[in-house]
Amino acid sequence: MAKKQFKKVLIANRGEIAVRITRACRELGIYSVAIFSEADRESLHVFLADEAYKVGPPPSKESYLNIDKILEIAKLTGADAIHPGYGFLSENTVFARACQKAGIVFIGPTPENIEAMGDKLSAKALMKEAKVPTVPGSDGAVESLDEARRIIREIGVPVIIKASAGGGGKGMRVVRQESELESAFRACQSEGLNYFADPTVYIERFITDPKHIEIQIFGDTHGNVCHLFERECSVQRRHQKLIEEAPSPSVPPEVRTKMGEAAVRAAKKINYVGAGTIEFIFDNSTKEFFFMEMNTRLQVEHPITEITTGIDLVKEQINVALGNPLTFRQEDLRQKGHAIEVRVCAEDPETYKPSPGLIRACRHPQGPFVRVDSYAYPGYEVPIYYDPMIAKVITWGETRADAIERMQRALTEFILSGIKSNIVLHRSILKHAKFQDGTYTTQFLEKNFEVIEPELFKEVEDHIFLIAAAITAFNDRKSKDVRQLNMISKWRLASRKLQLRT
Amino acid sequence: MYFEAELKGTKYKVDVIELRSQWKISIQKEGDEWQHFEISKTDYQHTESYFSFLFRGVSYMMDVVGKDTEYTVFTRNSFRTVKIFNDEMLLHESLKRGGGFGGDRELKAGMPGKVIEIFVKEGDVIKANKPLLIMEAMKMENEMRSTRDVKIKEICVKQGDSVEAGATLVKFEDP
């Protein structure tokens, strides 16, 4: 009997993830339909898909977030399913429901799943019911100093007091001993009132050495849920992940098992279907972990899980969307070796400012145990409208040290010119002692990593840059007015040479 | 051909001579001795999309982007912007800017983007390092600040404008 399969899948996304999904479709014999905004006509995902249709003007709101237009294209092309990728409409219940209504399969969780995890407070309450550890704290407003005192006696110090309406570092105080409580409490209340017109404060355990560690889970429509172990994503800047690795160098085996089990309980609590990620904040000093939030979609960093477990997560998403049971059982799953992913972005590595523009040369790393998920190519112009990430480089090694060395090697091979990229930044991070010993926390880039510019670029001597610039400048001017410039130059040269020699 | 160059704030004198089969390049870092390099043309070859540069046996794949007085050189995941002037240009620049290069009289857009907010108006006298306007590119907002004490001579854009890289945003004069 022929296996049930989608005939055609529309990919409601762009860039590298659209390319990634197209690859899975092609391997499964499914036709792929790309959509593109007016700024993306020359994007690689358009070239690689079987069909491609314009969805609207460059701004996301009018293109990749245009639900009506996307469904119209899906109907027009006869797509029987839509894969939303990550970002854009991937966690949008209106879109998931609109697909359902149109009789098109949404390759992702149910709208109810997305809703259950969409609201942080209700998600936290659900997780408590499922006995998933959450950050100990007041669970709401703390009215009085006495109440605050009672809470910190219960959960212990250090704690952080936060103004409910606060943000940007205002209205936040860390309390390391009970004697500091009163002044911190009053300060947060008054800052809340002064800056945000709201004196409400709450209290939480303060995590001294926080790490971002997340568990990949997978559920099907038959009630099975498995976890595919953890990924550590603590190298972040302003909550944007830069480097991820699996397994985490900080999680002991018994804690890994507990985290996996907690993540499965969390997913089962909401009858989760498809690929999802439970994010935990991990205290590296106590090895405790607490639920942060759940991402109800495929993650950017999914390749490191694929590489270490051997499971193709996108194909598995399609399998689950067809209504089939998971292709694996928990006891079949193993983490083999170590994988690292770096996100290559079109940005200045010193200032972190985006650097869109024309890619001139582009040569991706190759060789053993290197995977590159990229949509960059020579002559492609990175548009200003979307995320600056253009490529992900993933390496595997038997050990963590092997994977790091291999990543250094791969990044050395990566040639990219015309736009600035953060590849040098990645290479400096990989070399850093705190990355190497695995003790880095989410504060690593802000606190431990001072970008010393000469360090970042020291591999190449200044005169190499000068020689290349000078030869090009020479050729440019020569072609402009060969005779005149050479004449002037030779006279002046002669006199300068004379001066030099005397 | 004689050039003056600037790289990361350091000034250099550079001399380039092209012979039939080699480049002779002399570089003098401000305050240092001249260094002389002879580079065979087979060691500095243009391939389809980049240069292969064998410098004393060390292999660099390079690309040079730019024109006139500013070139960005890419190699080994690194890049640097080199400002480079020959005599005519030095003269021209000095007339235009009233001495030395680098004393900016205008704020230009470093990348294509959209003007989100403008904080100053024409005639304002602004201290160094004060925000002038916010540009948005690639979902990021970038605040652009004054590099010195200036008077705003002209604002060439308005809120909501989309601008190309290199477009003049604000013109300054001395306060």
PDB file of all heavy atoms in Angstrom, chain A residues 462-486:
ATOM      1  N   ASP A 462      48.317  44.667   8.888  1.00  0.00           N
ATOM      2  CA  ASP A 462      47.812  45.858   8.212  1.00  0.00           C
ATOM      3  C   ASP A 462      48.316  46.011   6.780  1.00  0.00           C
ATOM      4  O   ASP A 462      47.583  46.428   5.902  1.00  0.00           O
ATOM      5  CB  ASP A 462      48.215  47.113   8.995  1.00  0.00           C
ATOM      6  CG  ASP A 462      47.361  47.277  10.239  1.00  0.00           C
ATOM      7  OD1 ASP A 462      46.336  46.579  10.340  1.00  0.00           O
ATOM      8  OD2 ASP A 462      47.729  48.096  11.093  1.00  0.00           O
ATOM      9  N   HIS A 463      49.610  45.672   6.553  1.00  0.00           N
ATOM     10  CA  HIS A 463      50.126  45.966   5.214  1.00  0.00           C
ATOM     11  C   HIS A 463      49.491  45.097   4.129  1.00  0.00           C
ATOM     12  O   HIS A 463      49.488  45.474   2.973  1.00  0.00           O
ATOM     13  CB  HIS A 463      51.663  45.914   5.177  1.00  0.00           C
ATOM     14  CG  HIS A 463      52.242  44.624   5.633  1.00  0.00           C
ATOM     15  ND1 HIS A 463      52.869  44.478   6.842  1.00  0.00           N
ATOM     16  CD2 HIS A 463      52.280  43.416   5.053  1.00  0.00           C
ATOM     17  CE1 HIS A 463      53.274  43.233   6.974  1.00  0.00           C
ATOM     18  NE2 HIS A 463      52.929  42.573   5.900  1.00  0.00           N
ATOM     19  N   ILE A 464      48.924  43.967   4.518  1.00  0.00           N
ATOM     20  CA  ILE A 464      48.190  43.149   3.540  1.00  0.00           C
ATOM     21  C   ILE A 464      46.981  43.937   3.016  1.00  0.00           C
ATOM     22  O   ILE A 464      46.720  44.011   1.812  1.00  0.00           O
ATOM     23  CB  ILE A 464      47.720  41.823   4.182  1.00  0.00           C
ATOM     24  CG1 ILE A 464      48.909  41.001   4.653  1.00  0.00           C
ATOM     25  CG2 ILE A 464      46.825  41.028   3.235  1.00  0.00           C
ATOM     26  CD1 ILE A 464      49.798  40.491   3.535  1.00  0.00           C
ATOM     27  N   PHE A 465      46.252  44.548   3.952  1.00  0.00           N
ATOM     28  CA  PHE A 465      45.098  45.355   3.555  1.00  0.00           C
ATOM     29  C   PHE A 465      45.554  46.546   2.705  1.00  0.00           C
ATOM     30  O   PHE A 465      44.938  46.886   1.701  1.00  0.00           O
ATOM     31  CB  PHE A 465      44.367  45.877   4.794  1.00  0.00           C
ATOM     32  CG  PHE A 465      43.705  44.804   5.608  1.00  0.00           C
ATOM     33  CD1 PHE A 465      44.281  44.338   6.781  1.00  0.00           C
ATOM     34  CD2 PHE A 465      42.494  44.257   5.209  1.00  0.00           C
ATOM     35  CE1 PHE A 465      43.661  43.355   7.535  1.00  0.00           C
ATOM     36  CE2 PHE A 465      41.872  43.272   5.954  1.00  0.00           C
ATOM     37  CZ  PHE A 465      42.460  42.817   7.120  1.00  0.00           C
ATOM     38  N   LEU A 466      46.656  47.171   3.147  1.00  0.00           N
ATOM     39  CA  LEU A 466      47.127  48.365   2.437  1.00  0.00           C
ATOM     40  C   LEU A 466      47.578  48.038   1.020  1.00  0.00           C
ATOM     41  O   LEU A 466      47.275  48.774   0.077  1.00  0.00           O
ATOM     42  CB  LEU A 466      48.281  49.009   3.209  1.00  0.00           C
ATOM     43  CG  LEU A 466      47.865  49.803   4.447  1.00  0.00           C
ATOM     44  CD1 LEU A 466      49.079  50.108   5.306  1.00  0.00           C
ATOM     45  CD2 LEU A 466      47.154  51.098   4.048  1.00  0.00           C
ATOM     46  N   ILE A 467      48.301  46.935   0.862  1.00  0.00           N
ATOM     47  CA  ILE A 467      48.794  46.562  -0.465  1.00  0.00           C
ATOM     48  C   ILE A 467      47.616  46.332  -1.413  1.00  0.00           C
ATOM     49  O   ILE A 467      47.578  46.854  -2.529  1.00  0.00           O
ATOM     50  CB  ILE A 467      49.692  45.298  -0.388  1.00  0.00           C
ATOM     51  CG1 ILE A 467      51.021  45.643   0.293  1.00  0.00           C
ATOM     52  CG2 ILE A 467      49.933  44.706  -1.783  1.00  0.00           C
ATOM     53  CD1 ILE A 467      51.884  44.432   0.655  1.00  0.00           C
ATOM     54  N   ALA A 468      46.621  45.591  -0.930  1.00  0.00           N
ATOM     55  CA  ALA A 468      45.470  45.295  -1.789  1.00  0.00           C
ATOM     56  C   ALA A 468      44.720  46.564  -2.156  1.00  0.00           C
ATOM     57  O   ALA A 468      44.347  46.773  -3.316  1.00  0.00           O
ATOM     58  CB  ALA A 468      44.546  44.300  -1.085  1.00  0.00           C
ATOM     59  N   ALA A 469      44.512  47.434  -1.155  1.00  0.00           N
ATOM     60  CA  ALA A 469      43.794  48.686  -1.437  1.00  0.00           C
ATOM     61  C   ALA A 469      44.597  49.549  -2.409  1.00  0.00           C
ATOM     62  O   ALA A 469      44.036  50.141  -3.333  1.00  0.00           O
ATOM     63  CB  ALA A 469      43.539  49.448  -0.134  1.00  0.00           C
ATOM     64  N   ALA A 470      45.925  49.580  -2.213  1.00  0.00           N
ATOM     65  CA  ALA A 470      46.758  50.439  -3.051  1.00  0.00           C
ATOM     66  C   ALA A 470      46.781  49.951  -4.502  1.00  0.00           C
ATOM     67  O   ALA A 470      46.711  50.752  -5.436  1.00  0.00           O
ATOM     68  CB  ALA A 470      48.176  50.499  -2.480  1.00  0.00           C
ATOM     69  N   ILE A 471      46.863  48.636  -4.694  1.00  0.00           N
ATOM     70  CA  ILE A 471      46.878  48.115  -6.069  1.00  0.00           C
ATOM     71  C   ILE A 471      45.547  48.432  -6.753  1.00  0.00           C
ATOM     72  O   ILE A 471      45.511  48.868  -7.912  1.00  0.00           O
ATOM     73  CB  ILE A 471      47.180  46.598  -6.090  1.00  0.00           C
ATOM     74  CG1 ILE A 471      48.635  46.364  -5.655  1.00  0.00           C
ATOM     75  CG2 ILE A 471      46.937  46.012  -7.489  1.00  0.00           C
ATOM     76  CD1 ILE A 471      49.051  44.900  -5.592  1.00  0.00           C
ATOM     77  N   THR A 472      44.453  48.253  -6.027  1.00  0.00           N
ATOM     78  CA  THR A 472      43.153  48.550  -6.625  1.00  0.00           C
ATOM     79  C   THR A 472      43.021  50.042  -6.928  1.00  0.00           C
ATOM     80  O   THR A 472      42.563  50.430  -8.005  1.00  0.00           O
ATOM     81  CB  THR A 472      42.015  48.094  -5.690  1.00  0.00           C
ATOM     82  OG1 THR A 472      42.228  46.728  -5.367  1.00  0.00           O
ATOM     83  CG2 THR A 472      40.652  48.244  -6.359  1.00  0.00           C
ATOM     84  N   ALA A 473      43.447  50.869  -5.974  1.00  0.00           N
ATOM     85  CA  ALA A 473      43.371  52.322  -6.195  1.00  0.00           C
ATOM     86  C   ALA A 473      44.222  52.722  -7.397  1.00  0.00           C
ATOM     87  O   ALA A 473      43.814  53.539  -8.228  1.00  0.00           O
ATOM     88  CB  ALA A 473      43.836  53.063  -4.938  1.00  0.00           C
ATOM     89  N   PHE A 474      45.385  52.112  -7.493  1.00  0.00           N
ATOM     90  CA  PHE A 474      46.283  52.377  -8.620  1.00  0.00           C
ATOM     91  C   PHE A 474      45.594  52.019  -9.938  1.00  0.00           C
ATOM     92  O   PHE A 474      45.543  52.832 -10.869  1.00  0.00           O
ATOM     93  CB  PHE A 474      47.567  51.553  -8.447  1.00  0.00           C
ATOM     94  CG  PHE A 474      48.558  51.709  -9.561  1.00  0.00           C
ATOM     95  CD1 PHE A 474      49.575  52.656  -9.487  1.00  0.00           C
ATOM     96  CD2 PHE A 474      48.482  50.901 -10.704  1.00  0.00           C
ATOM     97  CE1 PHE A 474      50.494  52.795 -10.511  1.00  0.00           C
ATOM     98  CE2 PHE A 474      49.390  51.042 -11.738  1.00  0.00           C
ATOM     99  CZ  PHE A 474      50.404  51.988 -11.644  1.00  0.00           C
ATOM    100  N   ASN A 475      45.043  50.814  -9.996  1.00  0.00           N
ATOM    101  CA  ASN A 475      44.382  50.375 -11.233  1.00  0.00           C
ATOM    102  C   ASN A 475      43.198  51.266 -11.599  1.00  0.00           C
ATOM    103  O   ASN A 475      42.987  51.585 -12.761  1.00  0.00           O
ATOM    104  CB  ASN A 475      43.918  48.923 -11.109  1.00  0.00           C
ATOM    105  CG  ASN A 475      45.088  47.957 -11.220  1.00  0.00           C
ATOM    106  OD1 ASN A 475      46.088  48.254 -11.879  1.00  0.00           O
ATOM    107  ND2 ASN A 475      44.978  46.815 -10.569  1.00  0.00           N
ATOM    108  N   ASP A 476      42.423  51.679 -10.589  1.00  0.00           N
ATOM    109  CA  ASP A 476      41.273  52.551 -10.843  1.00  0.00           C
ATOM    110  C   ASP A 476      41.714  53.871 -11.450  1.00  0.00           C
ATOM    111  O   ASP A 476      41.122  54.351 -12.407  1.00  0.00           O
ATOM    112  CB  ASP A 476      40.535  52.854  -9.535  1.00  0.00           C
ATOM    113  CG  ASP A 476      39.698  51.676  -9.066  1.00  0.00           C
ATOM    114  OD1 ASP A 476      39.690  50.652  -9.783  1.00  0.00           O
ATOM    115  OD2 ASP A 476      39.070  51.793  -8.001  1.00  0.00           O
ATOM    116  N   ARG A 477      42.747  54.447 -10.870  1.00  0.00           N
ATOM    117  CA  ARG A 477      43.180  55.754 -11.352  1.00  0.00           C
ATOM    118  C   ARG A 477      43.863  55.636 -12.714  1.00  0.00           C
ATOM    119  O   ARG A 477      43.706  56.493 -13.571  1.00  0.00           O
ATOM    120  CB  ARG A 477      44.107  56.409 -10.338  1.00  0.00           C
ATOM    121  CG  ARG A 477      43.311  56.972  -9.165  1.00  0.00           C
ATOM    122  CD  ARG A 477      44.148  57.110  -7.945  1.00  0.00           C
ATOM    123  NE  ARG A 477      43.418  57.525  -6.774  1.00  0.00           N
ATOM    124  CZ  ARG A 477      42.435  56.854  -6.186  1.00  0.00           C
ATOM    125  NH1 ARG A 477      41.976  55.727  -6.715  1.00  0.00           N
ATOM    126  NH2 ARG A 477      41.857  57.300  -5.097  1.00  0.00           N
ATOM    127  N   LYS A 478      44.597  54.555 -12.874  1.00  0.00           N
ATOM    128  CA  LYS A 478      45.273  54.331 -14.149  1.00  0.00           C
ATOM    129  C   LYS A 478      44.251  54.259 -15.273  1.00  0.00           C
ATOM    130  O   LYS A 478      44.407  54.865 -16.323  1.00  0.00           O
ATOM    131  CB  LYS A 478      46.086  53.035 -14.089  1.00  0.00           C
ATOM    132  CG  LYS A 478      47.040  52.862 -15.253  1.00  0.00           C
ATOM    133  CD  LYS A 478      47.862  51.607 -15.103  1.00  0.00           C
ATOM    134  CE  LYS A 478      46.987  50.382 -15.289  1.00  0.00           C
ATOM    135  NZ  LYS A 478      47.768  49.133 -15.353  1.00  0.00           N
ATOM    136  N   SER A 479      43.170  53.556 -15.024  1.00  0.00           N
ATOM    137  CA  SER A 479      42.193  53.401 -16.095  1.00  0.00           C
ATOM    138  C   SER A 479      41.444  54.705 -16.349  1.00  0.00           C
ATOM    139  O   SER A 479      40.890  54.908 -17.400  1.00  0.00           O
ATOM    140  CB  SER A 479      41.224  52.268 -15.777  1.00  0.00           C
ATOM    141  OG  SER A 479      40.588  52.514 -14.552  1.00  0.00           O
ATOM    142  N   LYS A 480      41.398  55.586 -15.357  1.00  0.00           N
ATOM    143  CA  LYS A 480      40.719  56.862 -15.551  1.00  0.00           C
ATOM    144  C   LYS A 480      41.505  57.750 -16.518  1.00  0.00           C
ATOM    145  O   LYS A 480      40.966  58.288 -17.453  1.00  0.00           O
ATOM    146  CB  LYS A 480      40.554  57.599 -14.220  1.00  0.00           C
ATOM    147  CG  LYS A 480      39.222  57.317 -13.566  1.00  0.00           C
ATOM    148  CD  LYS A 480      39.079  58.151 -12.312  1.00  0.00           C
ATOM    149  CE  LYS A 480      38.000  57.570 -11.420  1.00  0.00           C
ATOM    150  NZ  LYS A 480      38.208  57.865 -10.021  1.00  0.00           N
ATOM    151  N   ASP A 481      42.723  57.931 -16.239  1.00  0.00           N
ATOM    152  CA  ASP A 481      43.528  58.784 -17.103  1.00  0.00           C
ATOM    153  C   ASP A 481      44.984  58.335 -17.021  1.00  0.00           C
ATOM    154  O   ASP A 481      45.784  58.868 -16.272  1.00  0.00           O
ATOM    155  CB  ASP A 481      43.395  60.245 -16.679  1.00  0.00           C
ATOM    156  CG  ASP A 481      44.030  61.166 -17.707  1.00  0.00           C
ATOM    157  OD1 ASP A 481      44.812  60.690 -18.552  1.00  0.00           O
ATOM    158  OD2 ASP A 481      43.736  62.368 -17.659  1.00  0.00           O
ATOM    159  N   VAL A 482      45.270  57.344 -17.820  1.00  0.00           N
ATOM    160  CA  VAL A 482      46.542  56.661 -17.721  1.00  0.00           C
ATOM    161  C   VAL A 482      47.719  57.612 -17.873  1.00  0.00           C
ATOM    162  O   VAL A 482      48.587  57.714 -17.020  1.00  0.00           O
ATOM    163  CB  VAL A 482      46.637  55.566 -18.809  1.00  0.00           C
ATOM    164  CG1 VAL A 482      47.971  54.850 -18.724  1.00  0.00           C
ATOM    165  CG2 VAL A 482      45.481  54.612 -18.690  1.00  0.00           C
ATOM    166  N   ARG A 483      47.688  58.359 -18.957  1.00  0.00           N
ATOM    167  CA  ARG A 483      48.857  59.144 -19.293  1.00  0.00           C
ATOM    168  C   ARG A 483      49.153  60.189 -18.230  1.00  0.00           C
ATOM    169  O   ARG A 483      50.235  60.247 -17.676  1.00  0.00           O
ATOM    170  CB  ARG A 483      48.618  59.817 -20.645  1.00  0.00           C
ATOM    171  CG  ARG A 483      49.868  59.993 -21.464  1.00  0.00           C
ATOM    172  CD  ARG A 483      49.486  60.569 -22.772  1.00  0.00           C
ATOM    173  NE  ARG A 483      48.223  61.320 -22.631  1.00  0.00           N
ATOM    174  CZ  ARG A 483      47.769  62.154 -23.529  1.00  0.00           C
ATOM    175  NH1 ARG A 483      48.449  62.353 -24.637  1.00  0.00           N
ATOM    176  NH2 ARG A 483      46.631  62.789 -23.370  1.00  0.00           N
ATOM    177  N   GLN A 484      48.099  60.982 -17.922  1.00  0.00           N
ATOM    178  CA  GLN A 484      48.315  62.111 -17.038  1.00  0.00           C
ATOM    179  C   GLN A 484      48.837  61.669 -15.666  1.00  0.00           C
ATOM    180  O   GLN A 484      49.813  62.179 -15.165  1.00  0.00           O
ATOM    181  CB  GLN A 484      46.998  62.874 -16.878  1.00  0.00           C
ATOM    182  CG  GLN A 484      47.203  64.216 -16.227  1.00  0.00           C
ATOM    183  CD  GLN A 484      45.889  64.797 -15.746  1.00  0.00           C
ATOM    184  OE1 GLN A 484      44.836  64.195 -15.892  1.00  0.00           O
ATOM    185  NE2 GLN A 484      45.965  65.975 -15.174  1.00  0.00           N
ATOM    186  N   LEU A 485      48.157  60.688 -15.083  1.00  0.00           N
ATOM    187  CA  LEU A 485      48.524  60.280 -13.729  1.00  0.00           C
ATOM    188  C   LEU A 485      49.919  59.669 -13.679  1.00  0.00           C
ATOM    189  O   LEU A 485      50.681  59.925 -12.761  1.00  0.00           O
ATOM    190  CB  LEU A 485      47.497  59.304 -13.160  1.00  0.00           C
ATOM    191  CG  LEU A 485      46.179  59.958 -12.738  1.00  0.00           C
ATOM    192  CD1 LEU A 485      45.191  58.905 -12.314  1.00  0.00           C
ATOM    193  CD2 LEU A 485      46.414  60.950 -11.599  1.00  0.00           C
ATOM    194  N   ASN A 486      50.231  58.879 -14.693  1.00  0.00           N
ATOM    195  CA  ASN A 486      51.547  58.261 -14.706  1.00  0.00           C
ATOM    196  C   ASN A 486      52.657  59.297 -14.839  1.00  0.00           C
ATOM    197  O   ASN A 486      53.697  59.194 -14.215  1.00  0.00           O
ATOM    198  CB  ASN A 486      51.662  57.249 -15.843  1.00  0.00           C
ATOM    199  CG  ASN A 486      51.170  55.887 -15.387  1.00  0.00           C
ATOM    200  OD1 ASN A 486      50.999  55.672 -14.193  1.00  0.00           O
ATOM    201  ND2 ASN A 486      50.944  54.998 -16.328  1.00  0.00           N
TER     202      ASN A 486
END
